[in-house]
Amino acid sequence: MSTGATLLVVCVVYLAVVLAIGAVAYRRTGSGTEEYFLGGRTARTVVLFMALLGTNVTPFVIMGIPGKAYHHGVGMFGLNAAIVALGIPWTFYVIGYPAWKAARRLRAISPAELFAERLGSPAVGVVLFVAFVVYTLPYLVTSVLGVGLAVSTLTADAVSLPVAAALILVVTIGYTALGGMKATMWTNVFQGAVFMGLVLVAFFAVADDMGGLAAATETVRRLAPELLEKGERPVFAPGAWASWGLAISLTVIAFPHMLVRIFAARDATAIKNTCRVYPVALVLLWLPVVMIGVWGAAEIPGLQGQQSDRIFPLMIQLHFGPVMEGLALAGVLAAVMSTIDAQFLTLGSMLGRDVLRRLSPDLSEVREVWWGRLFVLLLAVVTYGVVLWKPASIFDIAAFSFSGYVTLVPTMVAALHWRRTTATGAIASVVVGNAVLLWAMSHPGLEGGLHPVAWGLGAAIVALVVGSWGSRPPPRAVIERALGPG
Amino acid sequence: MSASTPATPRSTAAAQRGLSIALLGMLALHVWPIAGDPAWVLWGWVPWDLAYALLWMLGAAALVLFMTGPAWPDEPTPEPQPPLSPEGGEPS
């Protein structure tokens, strides 16, 4: 069988399994919004963990991180993986769990709805909806772009980037629109197993093909020794290191598609168990992708800038035959689809809950779901347009997106822990935080050695406190309905 | 996970204080890592900067176990609340 035919068979089998799971979920999904968007809030540990991991892992990890490790070496592991192993579980504890409790009390479906109800202000929901859309769109772009690059690399451009991107969008929208949250969470279990399996197999198999782990490291020491230490690179300087650690740790809980997954948890035990497993999963995932990027720099030198985003599929191509290439492709597809399904579903739910229902309180649940589906279609079209434009590398697009999400964290923390928080403070925090972030991003060199996100976060905190103290808090009944007596 | 002995507010508060201190310590060790010999490798393939990060993650995993245990007491699942009246006052 030719390489192209093998790739096609592996991918068709993978997509067929995903669609079959989606179809089964569709038959078991009721018609209400809570059932469609949150799967009836019944996710136990395994499904919740795999859904969160699957949603969290995108081509940023499988394509972007090897691409950066190709240029910057093993320091990329400490810069990203180490801090999130602590940061993500901690944010689940500080924000995720209180948000899950409040969402249960309020029967909130979307994050924006939760904070609008907590602060007694529909305007908060609209502002958060806009912010979530603005920062989720580039994140969607990184996912679809990653697939396009992987497919075009592995098929030697027989399947072009535009065709691959269109295909992935159509299939994902298909099963998401039909089966809702239940479909996306069930498929995420399968998809998470596929990409975790791929990364681990690729790691050991590439190392074995290079003569073993020690021989692979020795090859790097001989050809690109600077990649085996952090060195004096600006990206690893203490200020940039600390502020990027802050960004990547805080951003994950601010992804609306992650927070809404937590809302779907059946109980606190599922959330706690997920926290416990997360650090182990991150080691198993990030160590291989960083090392494959570093080994790739020794074996396939000369890739410039964004070209290194292709190093993972290039290494697969260099070391293996068509079956492994097909599996690699399935792994990347799995990582992408398990994220963009959640992103589409969450943004679709927010349009209905936080915008349309405010404008038309009599909107039926069935119509709300259909409007959500139409909005998802529109988002897919815009995403496709930006993918074809490809304004920056996967890592850089994701960095923009992550930074924006971080400016929303002060509002989340304060609304859940500080009863004096007001809608004015929350809106001021989002607006001022993002204005300062964009200013810092557009004035490189003026950030004082810090990543721009540090300035945006600081401004968001100040605006939140000043805005809250300068305005009246919501009535006590509104606060206690969300947070309980206090 | 369910604790064999119920957590008291005092023991939970003490655990949360301990967690905060440990978190600060971990952050300091992340931002200002211990410098090692770049030529040193663990198991013949893990260079110092990578080994340090892996060791740090081991500490992080232990801290997460502590966080999800004594610092995070079990609570009953909250019940849905009735909607408020249009004036934002008592539940209707």
Side-chain angles (χ1 to χ4, degrees):
Chain A
M1 195 184 287
S2 71
T3 301
T6 308
L7 282 175
L8 189 66
V9 167
V10 173
C11 286
V12 166
V13 168
Y14 164 76
L15 292 174
V17 172
V18 167
L19 286 172
I21 295 171
V24 172
Y26 172 59
R27 284 206 291 274
R28 295 196 183 185
T29 298
S31 58
T33 47
E34 192 167 34
E35 182 71 18
Y36 179 77
F37 288 120
L38 291 181
R41 303 183 201 261
T42 55
R44 295 171 189 263
T45 298
V46 173
V47 172
L48 182 68
F49 166 70
M50 293 299 269
L52 284 166
L53 185 72
T55 305
N56 190 189
V57 174
T58 66
F60 171 75
V61 177
I62 294 186
M63 308 279 288
I65 291 298
K68 279 288 172 183
Y70 181 94
H71 295 300
H72 298 295
V74 297
M76 289 308 292
F77 183 83
L79 179 67
N80 294 282
I83 190 67
V84 295
L86 185 57
I88 292 177
W90 182 73
T91 56
F92 286 180
Y93 168 63
V94 171
I95 299 174
Y97 177 57
W100 171 80
K101 285 195 297 183
R104 283 252 165 186
R105 295 176 65 87
L106 298 170
R107 300 194 68 135
I109 301 280
S110 79
E113 180 187 11
L114 168 67
F115 293 106
E117 292 280 326
R118 153 66 184 92
L119 297 168
S121 164
V124 170
V126 175
V127 168
L128 285 175
F129 168 73
V130 171
F132 283 140
V133 171
V134 165
Y135 290 114
T136 301
L137 195 64
Y139 200 20
L140 272 164
V141 168
T142 64
S143 301
V144 181
L145 187 57
V147 166
L149 287 173
V151 172
S152 63
T153 303
L154 288 170
T155 61
D157 280 331
V159 178
S160 66
L161 191 154
V163 172
L167 184 67
I168 197 84
L169 285 168
V170 168
V171 173
T172 310
I173 286 173
Y175 75 79
T176 306
L178 283 177
M181 175 64 95
K182 202 164 274 178
T184 65
M185 291 186 93
W186 287 8
T187 53
N188 284 179
V189 175
F190 170 66
Q191 290 161 330
V194 169
F195 69 67
M196 284 290 284
L198 159 78
V199 162
L200 286 170
V201 168
F203 173 66
F204 287 109
V206 167
D208 188 53
D209 207 42
M210 292 177 74
L213 289 165
T217 298
E218 189 50 41
T219 304
V220 178
R221 187 177 299 286
R222 201 160 20 86
L223 300 174
E226 72 282 2
L227 297 181
L228 295 179
E229 56 177 312
K230 278 165 61 185
E232 302 297 317
R233 295 175 175 80
V235 68
F236 300 143
W241 177 272
S243 46
W244 176 250
L246 187 75
I248 198 165
S249 296
L250 295 181
T251 193
V252 172
I253 195 68
F255 296 163
H257 46 284
M258 286 293 278
L259 195 52
V260 87
R261 291 267 201 257
I262 291 178
F263 290 0
R266 178 190 178 92
D267 50 31
T269 303
I271 302 175
K272 287 185 184 183
N273 287 339
T274 297
C275 289
R276 293 176 183 127
V277 184
Y278 231 89
V280 180
L282 290 173
V283 173
L284 295 179
L285 192 64
W286 284 74
L287 184 62
V289 296
V290 167
M291 291 314 294
I292 288 173
V294 171
W295 297 336
E299 291 208 305
I300 310 172
L303 300 180
Q304 303 294 319
Q306 298 175 24
Q307 291 177 334
S308 64
D309 279 348
R310 290 176 185 263
I311 191 62
F312 186 83
L314 284 173
M315 287 292 280
I316 298 291
Q317 217 166 29
L318 181 68
H319 288 279
F320 306 109
V323 173
M324 189 64 191
E325 289 179 35
L327 289 174
L329 198 50
V332 176
L333 289 174
V336 169
M337 292 167 76
S338 60
T339 303
I340 62 177
D341 57 12
Q343 291 170 320
F344 282 142
L345 191 67
T346 306
L347 293 181
S349 72
M350 281 196 283
L351 176 81
R353 307 296 290 189
D354 306 309
V355 180
L356 298 180
R357 197 162 274 284
R358 307 293 179 193
L359 297 173
S360 172
D362 297 330
L363 186 72
S364 72
E365 290 204 347
V366 173
R367 277 190 175 273
E368 185 183 323
V369 170
W370 274 105
W371 273 110
R373 286 172 172 150
L374 278 177
F375 184 57
V376 161
L377 200 60
L378 175 69
L379 283 172
V381 171
V382 176
T383 301
Y384 188 65
V386 182
V387 165
L388 298 186
W389 173 33
K390 200 190 177 197
S393 75
I394 289 175
F395 188 94
D396 291 338
I397 299 172
F400 168 78
S401 179
F402 292 174
S403 301
Y405 284 127
V406 170
T407 61
L408 312 180
V409 170
T411 294
M412 294 179 169
V413 175
L416 295 167
H417 293 282
W418 186 36
R419 288 172 186 250
R420 186 66 182 74
T421 308
T422 69
T424 305
I427 293 170
S429 176
V430 174
V431 172
V432 174
N434 281 282
V436 170
L437 171 69
L438 294 176
W439 177 86
M441 282 179 166
S442 59
H443 291 78
L446 296 180
E447 314 96 333
L450 300 175
H451 192 281
V453 70
W455 295 105
L457 181 65
I461 293 170
V462 171
L464 182 101
V465 173
V466 171
S468 292
W469 279 118
S471 54
R472 287 184 59 185
R476 187 187 176 97
V478 171
I479 300 170
E480 293 194 343
R481 183 166 170 260
L483 304 181
Chain B
M1 187 209 79
S2 57
S4 53
T5 51
T8 63
R10 271 179 78 175
S11 65
T12 300
Q16 288 172 342
R17 275 196 301 276
L19 176 67
S20 301
I21 293 166
L23 277 170
L24 288 174
M26 289 297 288
L27 285 179
L29 286 170
H30 177 70
V31 177
W32 297 285
I34 299 165
D37 178 4
W40 181 89
V41 283
L42 178 66
W43 303 318
W45 69 277
V46 184
W48 169 257
D49 284 332
L50 190 57
Y52 181 86
L54 286 167
L55 192 63
W56 192 92
M57 287 175 89
L58 192 65
L63 193 54
V64 169
L65 283 180
F66 177 72
M67 180 187 83
T68 53
W72 188 338
D74 289 325
E75 296 172 18
T77 299
E79 292 299 321
Q81 301 298 299
L84 295 174
S85 64
E87 293 75 31
E90 294 306 307
S92 57

